[in-house]
Amino acid sequence: IELARHLRGFGEIHGVEAPGLGAGESPVYPSFDEMVQFCSDSAAGVAGDGVYIGGHSLGGHIAFYLATMLLDRGIRPKGLIILDTPPRLGDIPVADADLTEEETRVFILAMGIGGMLDQDRDLLKDLPYEEAKKVLLDRAKNDPRVSAFLSEDYLDRFLRLQMHQLMYSRDVVLPRRKLDIPVYVFRTKNHAPEVAGLFSDWENYSVGEVTFVDIPGDH
């Protein structure tokens, strides 16, 4: 909600669903380069002059690449919107290194789906994976927009895709290129100081001044 307030007036929002998450789709585990190309192809009909390009978490890095691709084709986006991710994910201390596989699965669901449903993560962290899924599915019933697509099968496919992306996300390195378009970085306030400080490095990727916006909430 807080993010929506800051984005008021930005215009229409078009999202790209990750491959393999749609109803009836088979699981797909693309590389980072394949994800960039997939998003580029999917957004081809709407991404152009005067359009903001944005992404959350690893999607912020994909958005950066999409912006450079458009600029290289002579198309000038209105700006780049980075949602809660520093330029180098590999610099973030690994807080979950000691988690078991079961705990990691619950952690991913809590961060991804739980965050979308505003579910208290502390209520999920000690639950077995199957029970955590049931809690999220029950909570989703309160929002018809979410319950329309969220199912047990969706959660399982979401988890597998997220674990796949975690395996390579820390190795993604952005080219040291300064974009000549406005850059907006939204950062949630619950980051540890050593993580929050990493966001300032976005200044090395913009010709102009980067706009940083701190908003309540978690990743």
Side-chain angles (χ1 to χ4, degrees):
I1 293 175
E2 185 67 23
L3 176 62
R5 291 194 186 102
H6 286 284
L7 296 180
R8 183 179 297 159
F10 271 52
E12 295 181 357
I13 296 178
H14 299 267
V16 176
E17 184 174 57
L21 286 183
E25 292 185 15
S26 300
V28 179
Y29 306 108
S31 66
F32 179 76
D33 289 340
E34 290 170 337
M35 275 299 298
V36 171
Q37 190 60 53
F38 173 83
C39 291
S40 177
D41 294 341
S42 300
V46 294
D49 289 307
V51 172
Y52 289 99
I53 305 295
H56 169 255
S57 196
L58 181 63
H61 298 79
I62 294 175
F64 179 89
Y65 272 90
L66 294 182
T68 63
M69 292 166 68
L70 290 173
L71 289 168
D72 288 344
R73 298 205 301 266
I75 301 173
R76 185 176 176 81
K78 195 171 183 179
L80 173 66
I81 300 175
I82 299 296
L83 302 176
D84 211 37
T85 186
R88 286 183 56 87
L89 292 172
D91 292 338
I92 299 177
V94 182
D96 57 342
D98 296 329
L99 296 182
T100 65
E101 181 178 350
E102 181 83 353
E103 289 170 337
T104 300
R105 296 164 76 192
V106 173
F107 174 80
I108 291 174
L109 280 190
M111 286 291 291
I113 306 299
M116 179 176 63
L117 294 172
D118 198 25
Q119 169 68 49
D120 186 350
R121 292 210 312 267
D122 289 337
L123 297 178
L124 296 175
K125 66 179 183 180
D126 294 325
L127 295 178
Y129 173 67
E130 294 298 330
E131 289 187 26
K133 283 199 304 184
K134 291 179 182 178
V135 170
L136 293 174
L137 290 171
D138 286 342
R139 191 172 182 86
K141 295 176 182 177
N142 298 323
D143 190 331
R145 296 167 300 179
V146 177
S147 61
F149 70 86
L150 197 65
S151 65
E152 186 171 352
D153 178 62
Y154 181 95
L155 290 177
D156 289 336
R157 284 182 287 130
F158 172 84
L159 173 73
R160 290 194 292 268
L161 179 61
Q162 288 295 305
M163 294 190 75
H164 168 71
Q165 290 179 341
L166 280 174
M167 292 176 62
Y168 67 70
S169 63
R170 295 179 64 83
D171 295 327
V172 173
V173 179
L174 300 181
R176 282 285 183 167
R177 174 171 174 176
K178 289 181 176 287
L179 303 185
D180 190 18
I181 57 174
V183 176
Y184 304 86
V185 178
F186 290 83
R187 175 179 58 192
T188 55
K189 293 183 177 179
N190 287 2
H191 289 296
E194 61 271 22
V195 176
L198 298 175
F199 284 75
S200 62
D201 197 35
W202 280 113
E203 295 174 341
N204 295 317
Y205 295 86
S206 175
V207 172
E209 183 177 350
V210 176
T211 300
F212 293 93
V213 182
D214 288 319
I215 59 175
D218 208 336
H219 186 71

